[in-house]
């Protein structure tokens, strides 16, 4: 029988004594994404995006990705590393623009965002084997980054605004998963439903 102090590990019994890297991975994603989109909507300036994006979006998510590698979790290894390094590059774009050193201009930044939009959709397919909320989160990421990329290419701010709201939605969904994961891992209680998997194939019902 499972005790409250030791809920079943989603990655297998042999890793039951390890913490779940997804706890900090989701936290980093939520804080970085929300901060960036508030700046995109004009609520705050981009200075916060540099520091919060590099620390929480970059360092924290890459750390979560590498810890996922150690427990044999391929899905979260690539997802957290991909978006973690994205968040290390994006503050670099901002810094280059401020200093005029290796400044990124023209279509490079929106093209970079478009690449990660497509990755978000691709990751959603594999995420659909876990539960309902995870693929919805990744689809919102794909749509949000795609719209912001199109807005930057076309010079139409409206696309970027709608994209920012999709990414805020992704942040809200990730917060929802974080709450469920935290209480399940620390108290052994399911407090929020994540929904059924869309596709059969994963033994891990969590995010």
């Amino acid at each position: 029988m499972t005790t409250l102090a030791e809920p079943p590990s989603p990655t297998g019994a042999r890793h039951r004594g390890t913490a779940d890297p997804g706890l900090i991975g989701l936290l980093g994603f939520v804080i970085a994404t929300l901060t960036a989109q508030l700046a995109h909507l004009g609520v705050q300036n981009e200075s916060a995006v540099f520091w919060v994006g590099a620390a929480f979006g970059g360092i924290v998510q890459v750390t979560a990705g590498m810890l996922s590698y150690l427990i044999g979790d391929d899905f979260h290894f690539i997802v957290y590393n991909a978006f973690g390094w994205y968040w290390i590059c994006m503050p670099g774009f901002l810094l280059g623009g401020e200093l005029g050193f290796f400044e990124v201009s023209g279509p490079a930044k929106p093209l970079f965002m478009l690449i990660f939009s497509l990755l978000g959709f691709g990751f959603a397919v594999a995420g659909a084997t876990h539960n309902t909320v995870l693929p919805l989160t990744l689809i919102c990421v794909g749509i949000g980054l795609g719209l912001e990329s199109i807005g930057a290419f076309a010079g139409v701010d409206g696309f970027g605004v709608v994209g920012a709201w999709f990414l805020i939605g992704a942040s809200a969904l990730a917060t929802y998963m974080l709450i469920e994961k935290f209480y399940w891992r620390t108290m052994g209680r399911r407090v929020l439903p994540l929904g059924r998997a869309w596709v059969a194939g994963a033994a891990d019902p969590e995010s």
Side-chain angles (χ1 to χ4, degrees):
M1 178 179 293
T2 303
T3 65
L4 295 183
E6 189 179 72
S9 171
T11 52
R14 68 186 184 283
H15 302 304
R16 188 165 293 180
T18 62
D20 189 339
L23 290 169
I24 61 169
L26 286 168
L27 180 66
F29 172 83
V30 168
I31 293 175
T33 302
L34 186 59
T35 300
Q37 301 321 306
L38 290 177
H40 197 100
L41 294 173
V43 176
Q44 61 184 14
N45 61 38
E46 290 189 332
S47 298
V49 179
F50 176 84
W51 296 107
V52 175
F56 284 93
I59 295 172
V60 170
Q61 284 200 93
V62 168
T63 299
M66 295 313 299
L67 291 174
S68 296
Y69 166 82
L70 295 177
I71 62 173
D73 186 345
D74 293 345
F75 177 81
H76 291 95
F77 167 68
I78 189 170
V79 171
Y80 285 130
N81 266 295
F83 286 106
W85 287 106
Y86 171 89
W87 274 110
I88 289 174
C89 290
M90 290 301 284
F93 292 166
L94 292 174
L95 184 63
E98 289 293 323
L99 300 179
F101 183 71
F102 290 127
E103 185 175 358
V104 177
S105 59
K109 183 176 177 181
L111 181 60
F112 185 70
M113 294 168 64
L114 182 60
I115 290 170
F116 278 85
S117 168
L118 297 175
L119 281 176
F121 288 120
F123 292 152
V125 177
T129 65
H130 293 251
N131 54 57
T132 296
V133 181
L134 179 56
L136 284 176
T137 304
L138 291 165
I139 288 170
C140 284
V141 170
I143 293 173
L145 289 177
L147 288 172
E148 288 190 350
S149 175
I150 292 169
F153 275 123
V156 180
D157 292 339
F159 282 108
V161 171
V162 176
W165 282 109
F166 268 99
L167 287 164
I168 289 173
S171 181
L173 289 168
T175 301
Y176 183 94
M177 289 192 290
L178 176 59
I179 292 169
E180 163 59 19
K181 183 181 286 288
F182 174 74
Y183 284 110
W184 168 237
R185 296 291 300 186
T186 60
M187 297 177 64
R189 285 181 168 83
R190 298 289 190 186
V191 296
L192 295 171
L194 295 177
R196 300 174 69 90
W198 296 350
V199 180
D204 177 9
E206 295 191 69
S207 58

